[in-house]
Amino acid sequence: MADHHHSAWTTSGAPRHPLLSCALMALVSFVAAGAGAGPMVLAADAIVFHVANKCPFPVWPASAPNTGHPVLAGGGFYVPPGKSRRVDAPATWNGRFWARTGCNFTANGGVGATGCLTGDCEGRLACNGSVGAPPATLVEVSLHAKGSSYDVSLVDGYNLPVAVSATGTGADPNKCAIAGCAKNVNAVCPPELQVTATGGGGGGGKTVVACKSACLAFGLDAFCCRGAYATPATCRGTVYSRLFKDACPAYYSYAYDTTAATASGCYAQEYVITFCPSRWGDEPGDGAAAAAAAQI
């Protein structure tokens, strides 16, 4: 799992069985020979993510691996409304997923220019392992043969609601599901945390497209759970983290949020990551936000 505390994953002696030892050496040589071509993953052990978009506008999901793990699906791709994309992963992959909104990669002004309103990775469609710019809602994943785990984090802020569930063989819906949000955070985000963009529909006004965390907005140790506040006893929730928690009870609202949901001990071969899992438009301003997110 990603570390919530930081913001944005031989024996000596002669062998007793010479024939077995030779066989093992041959196997090691075979694996080493294929190492240059990337990680070798058996199809039976592969994990599948279905990345779904239920938003009324396009999203550009992205993923970034933790150190030592491969990039999945080029690190970024496009998913239109109502569609999904299959992403294959090794059985022991660790990293994060997030969604980008309001992207335009053909008119971004060149390399290094911002290509997306939220979650941008250096103006590129394929992030190729780069971490997106906060604020963005993060799905943090740790796949393991002894049981996979994942959570959703708003430690660096929010841009879209997301739900995660297990499906298919080995799925346990009772302990391997993380629900979406009860409210649209962007609709209740205070001015000091807001990320705004010109709204759609010809109005020309500013619309909130993302909401920073207090740590990201102010950079203070007390909000970032660092320095003298780097323990659960000293780093407590604030009025800002409680705003996140009220809207999205299952997510990490700050680094030491003990009430957040973490799906653990999950043995499914397939997982579904759904952006905008609930009906959009329950909160005032959602229609304008959708229009802004659909264009840049």
Side-chain angles (χ1 to χ4, degrees):
M1 302 291 291
D3 188 348
H4 293 287
H5 306 166
H6 303 282
S7 1
W9 341 11
T10 55
T11 57
S12 60
R16 294 184 180 181
H17 303 287
L19 291 177
L20 179 58
S21 178
C22 290
L24 290 174
M25 289 178 65
L27 178 60
V28 169
S29 298
F30 173 76
V31 172
M40 184 178 68
V41 182
L42 297 178
D45 294 333
I47 298 298
V48 175
F49 291 102
H50 299 280
V51 183
N53 176 20
K54 289 190 176 181
C55 304
F57 48 81
V59 297
W60 289 260
S63 66
N66 291 349
T67 302
H69 295 269
V71 174
L72 306 182
F77 46 89
Y78 167 74
V79 180
K83 301 296 184 181
S84 65
R85 167 76 179 263
R86 174 188 171 122
V87 176
D88 294 329
T92 56
W93 188 81
N94 287 5
R96 59 180 62 180
F97 288 90
W98 71 98
R100 296 167 290 172
T101 62
C103 299
N104 187 336
F105 301 107
T106 60
N108 63 2
V111 177
T114 299
C116 301
L117 291 177
T118 68
D120 187 64
C121 59
E122 302 169 353
R124 299 180 297 186
L125 169 62
C127 297
N128 197 30
S130 296
V131 176
T137 310
L138 296 180
V139 178
E140 302 173 317
V141 177
S142 178
L143 301 179
H144 199 282
K146 295 183 179 179
S148 298
S149 58
Y150 42 88
D151 63 60
V152 178
S153 174
L154 302 181
V155 170
D156 285 332
Y158 165 103
N159 66 339
L160 286 179
V162 62
V164 189
S165 60
T167 186
T169 304
D172 185 343
N174 294 321
K175 69 175 183 177
C176 294
I178 297 179
C181 298
K183 300 178 182 179
N184 176 13
V185 174
N186 292 340
V188 296
C189 185
E192 60 270 29
L193 303 184
Q194 292 177 1
V195 176
T196 61
T198 301
K206 293 291 186 179
T207 300
V208 180
V209 295
C211 190
K212 299 177 183 178
S213 68
C215 174
L216 181 64
F218 308 120
L220 300 178
D221 287 354
F223 291 135
C224 298
C225 296
R226 66 190 180 208
Y229 300 90
T231 67
T234 56
C235 192
R236 302 296 183 90
T238 67
V239 63
Y240 296 114
S241 66
R242 285 192 286 273
L243 181 150
F244 283 175
K245 178 58 63 174
D246 178 62
C248 310
Y251 299 176
Y252 275 88
S253 60
Y254 71 104
Y256 290 109
D257 185 353
T258 57
T259 64
T262 297
S264 59
C266 301
Y267 295 92
Q269 294 295 109
E270 299 183 49
Y271 297 93
V272 181
I273 298 173
T274 305
F275 294 104
C276 302
S278 301
R279 182 169 64 89
W280 191 273
D282 289 341
E283 295 294 324
D286 280 1
Q295 55 185 303
I296 185 171

